[in-house]
Each structure stands twice: as structure tokens, then as C-alpha cells.
Amino acid sequence: MDIPEWARRHSYLWHSNMKNKCRAKVFFDKCIVRPKVRKAWEVIKNPDTNPEDMEKAWAVIYRLDGGHNGSDNANMLCGRLTQSACDAILLEGKEPAEVIANTHAQYMKYVPRNWDGGIDAAKWTQYETELADVITNAVNGLREVMAGSPIFGETELYGALQGNALGHKNLPDYAGVGDLKTKWSTRNSRSKTGFATNNLPKDLSGRFDIANVHQVAGGWAINGKRPVWLLYANKSDYRILTQDNCDQLKPEYLEEVVKQIRLTNLITENQLKAARTTDELLGLVYPDWDNLGWQMPDGYVGEAKSIWSI
């Protein structure tokens, strides 16, 4: 579908899940960070780039590129590695023991954050003890939830929700309808290890779990409203949530969520249309600096604060 000029001028090319996110952070990422990072990589890959421009481009990458600025964290790393391991076992037919060993080797290459007071480093140490069990439980859960159906991995769903001009993008992890969510132990000062098991949800009413409902609801709406599922796995077990055992995944609930998503998208589109420049667009919002999305390295946050004159 064509992208309107009022969206292209801000480099805002599609909608995605906004639940629990700071709108200013979303605009900053899509309209400022991504274009700057993309341009910086173009400069770096150009063999004719002079040393001064090369140095400036790398400065942008080290400040804003999530793969190079130290913004990754142990939880996100573990989620990615678990899904990759499940893909290798279920989609490629590789031996679980071999996959888990290779995954552990990748895990050990990670360098924890150095700007959060050691929190990420402590998690990285703890999660090493959980990784194999979480992968095993995730594989067993995926086998159960996709039994009797074609098994395939991540796909891209894209289409405009009713009343929206821009498309909505969703990336289901499996079978076009399901997402894998991993749960890692949380810090607990009263535990001997300093961590306690992060229990599997019985429903999706919690603050963070409801964001996952919004995620699958967007895909549900543009994918023929096929029944969706969420699989949660931790070191102890797994739990499959579907419309048969979870109110938040029933069609009537998803319909209401989709209405919220459409209205949220419409507000975004009206702001994109109203702003003639990206500077004007950023002037229409103000960051909630306490939002979890702003837990980023100083260089990244500093660039954002320079825009909003902090």
C-alpha cells in the first residue's frame, strides 16, 4: 500500500504496537534514530568516505544503534536466543542438545550493560542457569500448541486497520497466529540467590501481559481474525493461553482492543498530518522520562533531551 507524503516526510512508515509506550519515544525512534542510523551505515559502507565523515558516522552508531550502543539487555538476549533455538530444533530438525550447546556459546559472548549499576550483569549470570530449561519448555509448548498444524516461524503481517491510512505491522513468532514469551527470574533480595522464579501468567490482565494482547490483536485484525495464542515458558514449565482458556484472547475482547489500537493510530496520523516538519511533530509531544522505554544509555537519552531542551 502507498505511504502518504505526510507520513514519508517524517520517516514514519507504519504503525506498530503502542501499548505502554511513550509516544514521544516512538516518534524519536522512528523519525530521528532510524534515519540517522540508516544514513550513518550508508556512510560507513561507502568506500569513498573520508576519515572525518567515517568518524562522525561511527559516533552516531555507537550512540544510537541498538546493536552497538550498549542498550541490549539480558532479558531481550535470552528471548531472542530462545526463539532461535526453538526454530533450529522445530523448523530445521537439529538435535536439541547440540542447539542448546551452541546457544549457550552465543550467550557467553554477550557483554552486559555497564551503566545500570550491575543489574544486567547479575541477570546475565543468573539466566545462564535457566537458559537450557527455558528452551526445553518452550520447545515442548510449541510442539503442543502447533500439533496437527503446519509449523513455520516468524512471518510479517501488514495491512491497514479500519479508519487508518497507514498500514499496521505485526510479526507473529509462529504459524502466523502465535507468539512465544519467555519469563526469567526476577531480582529478590530475600532469596539466597538474589532471584525468584517469575511465575507464568494465568491470564493476560497484568500491565505487561496486556501489551502482548495488543500485539497479537493487531495481527489478528489484519490476518482474517484467526484464533491467536500466546505461549509463556520459564525454567519450570510452560503455559499456553488461547481463546478457550483466556478471556483476553476471546474475539469480543480482541475487537475492543482493536478499536483502541485504531484510535491510537488515528491520533498518530493526525499529528503526522498537522506537522509540516519533524521538528514540529516532536513539538506536539513531550516525553514521559519515567517510561521504561527511556532506560537507555546516556548518549541515547542525551540526544533525546537535547531535542526537548532538557
Side-chain angles (χ1 to χ4, degrees):
M1 58 188 297
D2 292 335
I3 299 173
E5 189 278 332
W6 48 260
R8 282 188 288 107
R9 67 176 176 244
H10 303 298
S11 299
Y12 197 105
L13 307 181
W14 62 80
H15 294 298
S16 51
N17 183 19
M18 289 274 286
K19 188 63 175 177
N20 290 347
K21 294 182 180 178
C22 169
R23 183 180 295 274
K25 173 69 162 50
V26 173
F27 283 168
F28 180 65
D29 282 340
K30 290 190 174 185
C31 306
I32 301 296
V33 172
R34 291 181 187 177
K36 282 192 174 185
V37 168
R38 182 171 59 250
K39 184 176 180 180
W41 279 119
E42 290 173 355
V43 171
I44 291 169
K45 293 176 181 179
N46 184 348
D48 297 324
T49 296
N50 63 60
E52 182 180 356
D53 288 341
M54 184 69 74
E55 183 179 354
K56 290 179 180 178
W58 275 114
V60 171
I61 296 302
Y62 291 139
R63 188 170 66 254
L64 300 178
D65 189 327
H68 294 79
N69 68 356
S71 63
D72 201 4
N73 63 63
N75 291 77
M76 293 193 297
L77 170 73
C78 288
R80 294 194 307 269
L81 289 179
T82 299
Q83 184 176 343
S84 294
C86 290
D87 289 351
I89 294 169
L90 296 174
L91 306 181
E92 301 171 28
K94 294 183 178 180
E95 286 296 321
E98 176 188 357
V99 170
I100 289 174
N102 291 338
T103 301
H104 179 263
Q106 294 178 57
Y107 183 83
M108 296 308 295
K109 295 178 182 178
Y110 175 70
V111 178
R113 292 176 169 181
N114 62 6
W115 48 270
D116 67 351
I119 293 173
D120 193 53
K123 289 181 177 180
W124 180 64
T125 300
Q126 170 63 28
Y127 297 168
E128 182 188 0
T129 69
E130 305 180 14
L131 184 61
D133 290 332
V134 174
I135 291 172
T136 300
N137 290 331
V139 168
N140 291 337
L142 288 169
R143 282 181 171 144
E144 178 180 336
V145 74
M146 293 191 288
S149 303
I151 297 178
F152 56 92
E154 185 175 279
T155 52
E156 179 180 302
L157 302 177
Y158 181 78
L161 301 178
Q162 183 181 354
N164 294 160
L166 277 180
H168 188 97
K169 184 179 287 189
N170 182 254
L171 300 170
D173 293 333
Y174 292 96
V177 294
D179 280 333
L180 168 64
K181 302 297 180 182
T182 54
K183 290 282 192 177
W184 307 89
S185 292
T186 56
R187 293 195 302 151
N188 187 324
S189 60
R190 290 178 290 183
S191 167
K192 290 183 179 180
T193 64
F195 286 85
T197 300
N198 195 353
N199 294 325
L200 302 172
K202 296 180 180 179
D203 62 29
L204 298 171
S205 60
R207 175 190 172 191
F208 296 108
D209 295 318
I210 199 66
N212 296 333
V213 175
H214 278 246
Q215 180 178 327
V216 298
W220 174 81
I222 58 180
N223 193 30
K225 298 184 177 179
R226 296 168 57 200
V228 292
W229 51 263
L230 283 165
L231 167 65
Y232 285 82
N234 65 7
K235 64 179 181 179
S236 304
D237 203 354
Y238 66 85
R239 179 165 292 143
I240 299 166
L241 297 175
T242 71
Q243 64 180 14
D244 297 325
N245 65 357
C246 179
D247 288 343
Q248 292 81 20
L249 295 180
K250 294 182 184 297
E252 55 270 25
Y253 192 95
L254 293 175
E255 287 284 6
E256 292 303 312
V257 171
V258 171
K259 288 180 183 178
Q260 296 178 36
I261 296 172
R262 286 164 44 204
L263 290 173
T264 299
N265 291 350
L266 187 59
I267 292 170
T268 298
E269 292 181 2
N270 287 338
Q271 289 176 315
L272 294 171
K273 292 174 184 177
R276 293 167 298 178
T277 67
T278 300
D279 284 343
E280 286 188 10
L281 177 67
L282 298 176
L284 297 176
V285 293
Y286 189 78
D288 172 9
W289 299 113
D290 293 326
N291 185 277
L292 292 176
W294 289 111
Q295 291 185 359
M296 299 287 283
D298 289 345
Y300 180 99
V301 176
E303 180 132 348
K305 289 188 173 182
S306 70
I307 291 173
W308 281 284
S309 301
I310 298 296

